[in-house]
């Protein structure tokens, strides 16, 4: 048992060492959004994929929705309400035709992500964000700058209309 | 140095143990595709997101493109050609309007993944698949059944037209 305990400790130490040595990819700024005080989580770009989305109309956007491990587990298991610690990331891009793909396919049919436009996060903390359904909201423009207070005030009232604990996204199997 | 070597060995042993104990979610069938002999990789649904895609025309599909760690690293670093061990997964769904989202937004603008239609994989092994640019191809219908030989014969000639080592997908930052 001592040997196992030592191995576990060694594993944890090495895992922490490896994590601390790894570069932190993706944008990670120090500026927090107003109202909710959320910063860009480190390494969010490496989170698992929950679903994809495409908005026409005014937005004309393409999105990948990623989640941290707590989020991914809850989505996959269909667990509602989402547990504290859930963080959902929506990575938004333009929705643009792919010239290369269309040339190969011979039809104007292929759409791919254009330049990134913004990243949005939903953070579940049922105490801290009790007045907005337990969710904190964040928006960062592509330059890493947080959205302003007026913008952030629009998040909760709209998400409150979603039928599944403020979340529009459903898990894509 | 001996101590470090021991810790590294302990880390590797425990990591293997943890991996072998974890459940394997997602579909993992035993049937391999013809020509390339590829089976559905276990836990592919937990791989990192490389990009998203939307095809109109005959396909009318939505895709999430995921990659194993080798693939994700190569995509993010823009490394070409892709190294052996790269596996790219394209998870295809229908591209359908979201009634719930459209009601909230007040406009018919929101599209989400419909039912899954198929999963496709590209596996890089420059020796095994030397005659098709180092890539093996796989297609599985939603029931886990592999595509037939005629279908699989169409993969390589088309992917050979892509400008970046048989791969159409580009990394979405």
């Amino acid at each position: 048992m001592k040997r196992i305990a030592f191995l576990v400790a060694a594993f944890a130490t090495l895992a922490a060492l490896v994590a601390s040595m790894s570069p932190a990819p993706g944008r990670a700024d120090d500026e927090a959004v107003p109202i909710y005080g959320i910063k860009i989580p480190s390494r969010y770009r490496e989170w698992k994929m929950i679903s994809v989305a495409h908005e026409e109309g005014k937005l004309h956007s393409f999105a990948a929705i990623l989640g941290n491990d707590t989020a991914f587990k809850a989505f996959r298991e269909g667990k509602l309400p989402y547990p504290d610690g859930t963080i959902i990331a929506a990575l938004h891009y333009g929705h643009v035709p792919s010239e290369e793909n269309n040339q190969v396919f011979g039809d104007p049919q292929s759409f791919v992500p254009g330049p990134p436009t913004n990243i949005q996060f939903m953070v579940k903390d049922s105490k801290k964000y009790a007045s907005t359904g337990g969710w904190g909201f964040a928006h960062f423009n592509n330059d890493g700058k947080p959205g302003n207070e007026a913008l952030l005030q629009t998040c909760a009232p709209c998400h409150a209309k979603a039928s599944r604990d403020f979340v529009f996204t459903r898990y894509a199997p």
Side-chain angles (χ1 to χ4, degrees), chain A:
Chain A
M1 282 306 288
K2 268 191 184 169
R3 185 159 197 162
I4 290 173
F6 173 70
L7 286 171
V8 169
F11 178 86
T13 307
L14 270 156
L17 188 70
V18 167
S20 69
M21 283 162 57
S22 302
R27 291 161 286 184
D29 289 351
D30 282 322
E31 278 194 80
V33 293
I35 307 177
Y36 302 102
I38 297 166
K39 297 179 181 182
I40 297 179
S42 67
R43 305 179 75 109
Y44 71 88
R45 183 61 187 78
E46 298 173 32
W47 291 353
K48 298 186 178 86
M49 191 271 293
I50 294 168
S51 189
V52 297
H54 167 208
E55 295 291 333
E56 274 309 324
K58 286 170 240 161
L59 291 166
H60 201 57
S61 74
F62 224 157
I65 295 97
L66 310 183
N68 67 359
D69 285 342
T70 305
F72 186 74
K73 189 168 180 287
F75 269 96
R76 185 151 66 178
E77 293 172 0
K79 195 174 181 176
L80 289 174
Y82 291 94
D84 280 7
T86 293
I87 310 182
I88 305 166
L91 285 61
H92 291 112
Y93 308 88
H95 178 265
V96 304
S98 164
E99 300 300 334
E100 177 180 8
N101 297 2
N102 288 337
Q103 276 194 353
V104 172
F105 296 154
D107 278 310
Q109 66 174 53
S110 177
F111 297 90
V112 294
T117 50
N118 66 66
I119 323 169
Q120 297 177 330
F121 298 94
M122 286 179 69
V123 177
K124 188 73 180 271
D125 184 330
S126 50
K127 284 187 186 167
K128 191 171 179 182
Y129 304 122
S131 67
T132 47
W135 289 101
F137 298 86
H139 171 109
F140 298 91
N141 296 323
N142 188 40
D143 58 5
K145 291 281 175 203
N148 63 25
E149 193 169 332
L151 177 69
L152 283 152
Q153 270 164 352
T154 65
C155 303
C158 187
H159 277 273
K161 296 176 190 168
S163 64
R164 297 161 70 89
D165 189 20
F166 281 65
V167 175
F168 290 105
T169 299
R170 306 200 174 193
Y171 180 72

